[in-house]
Amino acid sequence: MDAGAVAAALEEARFDARQNSRHEDLGDDVRGRAELAEWERLTQLLADAAPGTVYAPEADDVVRAELAAAAAAAAREAELREAARIAARADELQALRELGTLEQTEPRHGDEAVRDELTRRAGSYVQVDVDAWFAYALAARLGHYRDPAAREDAAGLLPAPVLAHAALLAELARLVPGVGVGVDQLAFAARLAQADPAATAQLADFLVRVPACAEGSPA
């Protein structure tokens, strides 16, 4: 908008304000006063600018500040909703642990953050049963881990021992069909991963090549 258009809008807002002031039920028109104040501000903004300046909201410091404040408020609201979701899911998983049915539950998107919450509640102590559940679910591709993208994301969301445990479980299950990778099976894999995750991951990588080595061995 140029100065002429802004001035015309200001006059219209002033006219509306005068009309409203004559009616008792419109005398307390907060929105109308706000609009009038805004047109007055824009008129002064263009009056202070170089001749011929056209008003552009994206160059208005006040508008930019209001948009930034709205974005910050929306982000904060999203954070609060996510924190509430994580807390509720942590309560749910804790209840399942106490019932002894955690291993029967499939993980959901975002449960990696729930693991962090459970760890925080436990005073940062490693919770072996929860980590074993994650490793089992990742190895067996349960829940949201059916999605390759979720498994890829897990590499940056879960700690090294859990990832190494899952990798070893997956390779052992592949090498010994029918062995299963349940939470209560192959318990030694969890102990290896907790003791030395790097070596456990290297062992899993080595086992990937075992079938090829066996097929190339002399009879």
Side-chain angles (χ1 to χ4, degrees), residues 56-71:
E58 60 273 14
D60 189 334
D61 290 340
V62 172
V63 172
R64 287 204 300 264
E66 290 175 349
L67 291 175

PDB file of all heavy atoms in Angstrom, residues 56-71:
ATOM      1  N   ALA A  56       5.182  -2.349   3.135  1.00  0.00           N
ATOM      2  CA  ALA A  56       5.311  -3.792   2.938  1.00  0.00           C
ATOM      3  C   ALA A  56       5.388  -4.456   4.309  1.00  0.00           C
ATOM      4  O   ALA A  56       6.300  -4.155   5.083  1.00  0.00           O
ATOM      5  CB  ALA A  56       6.558  -4.120   2.121  1.00  0.00           C
ATOM      6  N   PRO A  57       4.452  -5.333   4.658  1.00  0.00           N
ATOM      7  CA  PRO A  57       4.453  -5.968   5.981  1.00  0.00           C
ATOM      8  C   PRO A  57       5.761  -6.672   6.316  1.00  0.00           C
ATOM      9  O   PRO A  57       6.213  -6.650   7.464  1.00  0.00           O
ATOM     10  CB  PRO A  57       3.288  -6.968   5.888  1.00  0.00           C
ATOM     11  CG  PRO A  57       2.396  -6.404   4.841  1.00  0.00           C
ATOM     12  CD  PRO A  57       3.310  -5.755   3.840  1.00  0.00           C
ATOM     13  N   GLU A  58       6.392  -7.277   5.299  1.00  0.00           N
ATOM     14  CA  GLU A  58       7.623  -8.028   5.571  1.00  0.00           C
ATOM     15  C   GLU A  58       8.781  -7.124   5.983  1.00  0.00           C
ATOM     16  O   GLU A  58       9.785  -7.600   6.524  1.00  0.00           O
ATOM     17  CB  GLU A  58       8.024  -8.863   4.349  1.00  0.00           C
ATOM     18  CG  GLU A  58       8.303  -8.071   3.084  1.00  0.00           C
ATOM     19  CD  GLU A  58       7.067  -7.809   2.247  1.00  0.00           C
ATOM     20  OE1 GLU A  58       5.946  -8.003   2.770  1.00  0.00           O
ATOM     21  OE2 GLU A  58       7.223  -7.431   1.073  1.00  0.00           O
ATOM     22  N   ALA A  59       8.646  -5.814   5.724  1.00  0.00           N
ATOM     23  CA  ALA A  59       9.694  -4.881   6.124  1.00  0.00           C
ATOM     24  C   ALA A  59       9.321  -4.100   7.385  1.00  0.00           C
ATOM     25  O   ALA A  59      10.080  -3.239   7.825  1.00  0.00           O
ATOM     26  CB  ALA A  59       9.970  -3.896   4.986  1.00  0.00           C
ATOM     27  N   ASP A  60       8.178  -4.439   7.967  1.00  0.00           N
ATOM     28  CA  ASP A  60       7.670  -3.742   9.153  1.00  0.00           C
ATOM     29  C   ASP A  60       8.213  -4.418  10.407  1.00  0.00           C
ATOM     30  O   ASP A  60       7.899  -5.584  10.675  1.00  0.00           O
ATOM     31  CB  ASP A  60       6.140  -3.770   9.132  1.00  0.00           C
ATOM     32  CG  ASP A  60       5.534  -2.884  10.213  1.00  0.00           C
ATOM     33  OD1 ASP A  60       6.187  -2.650  11.240  1.00  0.00           O
ATOM     34  OD2 ASP A  60       4.382  -2.446  10.028  1.00  0.00           O
ATOM     35  N   ASP A  61       9.031  -3.703  11.172  1.00  0.00           N
ATOM     36  CA  ASP A  61       9.630  -4.286  12.373  1.00  0.00           C
ATOM     37  C   ASP A  61       8.575  -4.747  13.373  1.00  0.00           C
ATOM     38  O   ASP A  61       8.739  -5.786  14.039  1.00  0.00           O
ATOM     39  CB  ASP A  61      10.556  -3.275  13.051  1.00  0.00           C
ATOM     40  CG  ASP A  61      11.819  -3.006  12.246  1.00  0.00           C
ATOM     41  OD1 ASP A  61      12.150  -3.851  11.386  1.00  0.00           O
ATOM     42  OD2 ASP A  61      12.465  -1.968  12.475  1.00  0.00           O
ATOM     43  N   VAL A  62       7.491  -4.001  13.487  1.00  0.00           N
ATOM     44  CA  VAL A  62       6.429  -4.375  14.427  1.00  0.00           C
ATOM     45  C   VAL A  62       5.765  -5.673  13.994  1.00  0.00           C
ATOM     46  O   VAL A  62       5.539  -6.572  14.814  1.00  0.00           O
ATOM     47  CB  VAL A  62       5.383  -3.241  14.536  1.00  0.00           C
ATOM     48  CG1 VAL A  62       4.185  -3.703  15.366  1.00  0.00           C
ATOM     49  CG2 VAL A  62       6.002  -2.004  15.161  1.00  0.00           C
ATOM     50  N   VAL A  63       5.460  -5.786  12.710  1.00  0.00           N
ATOM     51  CA  VAL A  63       4.835  -7.002  12.199  1.00  0.00           C
ATOM     52  C   VAL A  63       5.774  -8.193  12.366  1.00  0.00           C
ATOM     53  O   VAL A  63       5.363  -9.282  12.787  1.00  0.00           O
ATOM     54  CB  VAL A  63       4.438  -6.832  10.716  1.00  0.00           C
ATOM     55  CG1 VAL A  63       3.973  -8.166  10.126  1.00  0.00           C
ATOM     56  CG2 VAL A  63       3.349  -5.783  10.586  1.00  0.00           C
ATOM     57  N   ARG A  64       7.057  -7.982  12.045  1.00  0.00           N
ATOM     58  CA  ARG A  64       8.026  -9.073  12.190  1.00  0.00           C
ATOM     59  C   ARG A  64       8.112  -9.531  13.642  1.00  0.00           C
ATOM     60  O   ARG A  64       8.211 -10.728  13.932  1.00  0.00           O
ATOM     61  CB  ARG A  64       9.397  -8.639  11.677  1.00  0.00           C
ATOM     62  CG  ARG A  64       9.485  -8.539  10.155  1.00  0.00           C
ATOM     63  CD  ARG A  64      10.931  -8.698   9.685  1.00  0.00           C
ATOM     64  NE  ARG A  64      11.768  -7.661  10.257  1.00  0.00           N
ATOM     65  CZ  ARG A  64      12.073  -6.525   9.635  1.00  0.00           C
ATOM     66  NH1 ARG A  64      11.584  -6.281   8.439  1.00  0.00           N
ATOM     67  NH2 ARG A  64      12.857  -5.633  10.199  1.00  0.00           N
ATOM     68  N   ALA A  65       8.094  -8.579  14.569  1.00  0.00           N
ATOM     69  CA  ALA A  65       8.167  -8.929  15.988  1.00  0.00           C
ATOM     70  C   ALA A  65       6.929  -9.707  16.422  1.00  0.00           C
ATOM     71  O   ALA A  65       7.024 -10.681  17.185  1.00  0.00           O
ATOM     72  CB  ALA A  65       8.321  -7.667  16.829  1.00  0.00           C
ATOM     73  N   GLU A  66       5.766  -9.287  15.928  1.00  0.00           N
ATOM     74  CA  GLU A  66       4.533  -9.987  16.277  1.00  0.00           C
ATOM     75  C   GLU A  66       4.527 -11.406  15.716  1.00  0.00           C
ATOM     76  O   GLU A  66       4.117 -12.354  16.400  1.00  0.00           O
ATOM     77  CB  GLU A  66       3.327  -9.210  15.742  1.00  0.00           C
ATOM     78  CG  GLU A  66       3.071  -7.903  16.477  1.00  0.00           C
ATOM     79  CD  GLU A  66       1.952  -7.100  15.838  1.00  0.00           C
ATOM     80  OE1 GLU A  66       1.538  -7.459  14.711  1.00  0.00           O
ATOM     81  OE2 GLU A  66       1.493  -6.121  16.458  1.00  0.00           O
ATOM     82  N   LEU A  67       5.009 -11.562  14.487  1.00  0.00           N
ATOM     83  CA  LEU A  67       5.076 -12.896  13.879  1.00  0.00           C
ATOM     84  C   LEU A  67       6.062 -13.786  14.628  1.00  0.00           C
ATOM     85  O   LEU A  67       5.803 -14.970  14.845  1.00  0.00           O
ATOM     86  CB  LEU A  67       5.469 -12.784  12.404  1.00  0.00           C
ATOM     87  CG  LEU A  67       4.421 -12.167  11.472  1.00  0.00           C
ATOM     88  CD1 LEU A  67       4.990 -12.013  10.069  1.00  0.00           C
ATOM     89  CD2 LEU A  67       3.157 -13.018  11.438  1.00  0.00           C
ATOM     90  N   ALA A  68       7.190 -13.196  15.018  1.00  0.00           N
ATOM     91  CA  ALA A  68       8.186 -13.970  15.763  1.00  0.00           C
ATOM     92  C   ALA A  68       7.632 -14.404  17.115  1.00  0.00           C
ATOM     93  O   ALA A  68       7.847 -15.537  17.564  1.00  0.00           O
ATOM     94  CB  ALA A  68       9.459 -13.139  15.956  1.00  0.00           C
ATOM     95  N   ALA A  69       6.891 -13.488  17.770  1.00  0.00           N
ATOM     96  CA  ALA A  69       6.307 -13.823  19.076  1.00  0.00           C
ATOM     97  C   ALA A  69       5.259 -14.922  18.923  1.00  0.00           C
ATOM     98  O   ALA A  69       5.183 -15.846  19.752  1.00  0.00           O
ATOM     99  CB  ALA A  69       5.684 -12.579  19.694  1.00  0.00           C
ATOM    100  N   ALA A  70       4.451 -14.841  17.850  1.00  0.00           N
ATOM    101  CA  ALA A  70       3.437 -15.862  17.612  1.00  0.00           C
ATOM    102  C   ALA A  70       4.087 -17.212  17.322  1.00  0.00           C
ATOM    103  O   ALA A  70       3.630 -18.254  17.802  1.00  0.00           O
ATOM    104  CB  ALA A  70       2.540 -15.446  16.449  1.00  0.00           C
ATOM    105  N   ALA A  71       5.172 -17.194  16.537  1.00  0.00           N
ATOM    106  CA  ALA A  71       5.875 -18.438  16.226  1.00  0.00           C
ATOM    107  C   ALA A  71       6.492 -19.042  17.473  1.00  0.00           C
ATOM    108  O   ALA A  71       6.460 -20.259  17.685  1.00  0.00           O
ATOM    109  CB  ALA A  71       6.951 -18.179  15.172  1.00  0.00           C
TER     110      ALA A  71
END
